[in-house]
Amino acid sequence: MGVSKSLAVVVPAYNEGDGLREFHQRLATVFDRLDLDCRVIYVDDGSADHTWRVMQALAADDGRVATLRLSRNFGKELAMTAGLDYADADAVVVIDADLQDPPELIPELLARWREGFDVVYGTRDVRAGESWLKRLTATAFYRLIGRISPTPIPADTGDFRLLDRRAHQALKQLRERHRFMKGLFAWVGYRQTALVYHRDPRHSGTSKFNYWKLWNFAIEGITSFSTVPLRLATYLGLLTALVAFVFGIWVVVKAMFFGDPVPGYPSLMAVILFLGGLQLLALGVIGEYLGRLFTESKQRPLYLLQTVEPARADAPAESRCGAESEGDTETGRQMRAGSSGQSSV
Ligand code: UDP
Ligand code: MG
């Protein structure tokens, strides 16, 4: 298609200094072969290593590189959000910096886009280099969320994907603080299609997601995209009330016909403890949602930017980054959080 079309690739990176050059080399090779106006936006998610220096060096060598640096580590979801807010192109691709998603697949994503799809997401067939436990828990999570979320979230699909301008603009309108991006991408809808690919092992470094983080991430996903746990608490309450009612009748009837020699301390304890446990569980579930409501209500900006290069003067007001004052590391630049947070919970 026309040369005038543009592509922006958003790359969130946290402590990826060792692998970033290799990544850029492979991406640049892909760019060179494309008939598009290409750009890559590296987002340094408050790395503690030399990631930012590598990004600066890459930007100095290659005019297609833009760099954003967050004021601290905000997590991958927000790093991606920062990059997506900055991006302004006909097609936007989100890709990990660790070379698990091969940049060489971008032309295939673009081919599907040209067929008329608004969102092309990468679905993994194999997860090379990942333990069986991670594969098992990931599969279980995708199955669960697939069942309880009214928004269909494709299984075995990470963040690696292409968004058409329309889908990208739509996504930018979702300003919720608890951002489960895989769900948000799906929520946008439009014409979506999958591209099945091999997910490679990490090029260097280690995964930033340990099991505790993944567990919290799973809770984030479930509470952001489903209210089924709340309903479950209701049903559980109903069920125990019913059982308690039947048990109560039995106790009364038994006392009427057989007298009451006051036994039953163990059963009493068991029932009290069981009900106490259930109540705490239900409270906990409600607390999860309440806590999320609490953070949403604070209306904080989603993230703060420390440095943006080059600053985008043409950015729409909603996503404009403050003008960059060179070397001014103290003043975090605030990206406007946009319209009132719409939660899809
Ligand atoms: N990442 C990030 N901020 C974080 C954690 C990770 O920007 O707090 C980036 C990371 O640099 C990588 C991508 O998110 O580019 C995926 O992270 P990772 O490879 O650790 O996750 P996994 O592939 O194991 O799910
Ligand atoms: Mg990875």
Side-chain angles (χ1 to χ4, degrees):
M1 263 195 209
V3 188
S4 54
K5 294 260 182 191
S6 56
L7 165 74
V9 176
V10 172
V11 189
Y14 177 53
N15 293 347
E16 303 283 4
D18 290 340
L20 212 55
R21 280 181 191 281
E22 166 83 15
F23 175 87
H24 187 71
Q25 213 164 28
R26 279 174 61 178
L27 184 69
T29 313
V30 172
F31 276 1
D32 291 341
R33 286 202 290 258
L34 289 175
D35 193 14
L36 294 164
D37 175 15
C38 297
R39 201 142 204 239
V40 54
I41 299 154
Y42 288 113
V43 185
D44 176 11
D45 186 13
S47 299
D49 70 348
H50 53 292
T51 301
W52 179 246
R53 257 175 291 136
V54 175
M55 285 183 183
Q56 293 304 94
L58 292 175
D61 289 349
D62 191 338
R64 298 170 294 193
V65 175
T67 51
L68 304 187
R69 189 185 202 186
L70 303 191
S71 65
R72 63 172 171 83
N73 178 236
F74 278 88
K76 184 186 177 187
E77 314 294 296
L78 290 170
M80 268 191 289
T81 305
L84 286 166
D85 284 344
Y86 182 87
D88 179 23
D90 296 310
V92 179
V93 168
V94 180
I95 188 168
D96 283 0
D98 58 3
L99 287 170
Q100 281 196 279
D101 312 320
E104 291 75 19
L105 280 179
I106 291 175
E108 286 183 47
L109 295 176
L110 290 166
R112 300 283 172 95
W113 169 55
R114 285 177 174 142
E115 282 168 24
F117 289 101
D118 297 289
V119 178
V120 189
Y121 53 84
T123 295
R124 309 148 184 177
D125 60 347
V126 227
R127 288 166 156 245
E130 289 183 353
S131 71
W132 63 269
L133 187 62
K134 177 147 185 191
R135 273 179 303 203
L136 187 82
T137 46
T139 313
F141 169 70
Y142 283 120
R143 297 290 173 275
L144 175 71
I145 198 149
R147 295 194 82 159
I148 66 173
S149 160
T151 310
I153 296 172
D156 299 322
T157 298
D159 298 314
F160 179 40
R161 67 188 70 211
L162 177 144
L163 302 170
D164 181 48
R165 189 184 282 278
R166 178 163 70 153
H168 176 217
Q169 293 302 331
L171 186 78
K172 283 211 276 191
Q173 291 176 36
L174 307 180
R175 307 309 298 179
E176 59 207 73
R177 272 82 192 151
H178 289 278
R179 302 181 75 76
F180 180 64
M181 292 300 286
K182 298 175 211 331
L184 297 181
F185 285 134
W187 185 90
V188 162
Y190 296 124
R191 288 192 67 198
Q192 304 214 359
T193 186
L195 177 78
V196 178
Y197 74 109
H198 290 274
R199 190 154 156 92
D200 295 329
R202 249 182 175 277
H203 171 67
S204 62
T206 51
S207 171
K208 312 296 182 293
F209 291 88
N210 55 31
Y211 283 106
W212 177 243
K213 267 195 172 177
L214 284 174
W215 167 251
N216 285 311
F217 189 57
I219 293 180
E220 196 73 60
I222 290 166
T223 49
S224 296
F225 279 87
S226 173
T227 48
V228 166
L230 283 175
R231 213 168 312 143
L232 219 60
T234 312
Y235 289 135
L236 214 63
L238 270 177
L239 196 75
T240 37
L242 201 75
V243 172
F245 184 68
V246 173
F247 182 66
I249 290 179
W250 182 73
V251 169
V252 170
V253 169
K254 200 179 84 165
M256 273 163 54
F257 287 100
F258 305 104
D260 189 6
V262 201
Y265 174 74
S267 61
L268 203 65
M269 264 328 258
V271 169
I272 288 175
L273 290 179
F274 177 66
L275 288 183
L278 275 191
Q279 283 169 6
L280 286 181
L281 184 88
L283 275 179
V285 171
I286 297 168
E288 282 293 332
Y289 285 90
L290 193 66
R292 278 164 177 75
L293 215 58
F294 174 62
T295 36
E296 291 296 339
S297 69
K298 281 190 278 199
Q299 296 278 310
R300 286 183 185 155
L302 300 187
Y303 53 85
L304 295 176
L305 289 171
Q306 181 161 303
T307 315
V308 185
E309 280 167 14
R312 253 189 58 200
D314 60 315
E318 200 207 318
S319 66
R320 179 170 309 163
C321 324
E324 175 50 22
S325 44
E326 199 110 329
D328 181 5
T329 52
E330 282 308 301
T331 355
R333 287 296 171 189
Q334 183 172 324
M335 182 82 91
R336 272 206 30 185
S339 53
S340 60
Q342 303 164 336
S343 169
S344 53
V345 170

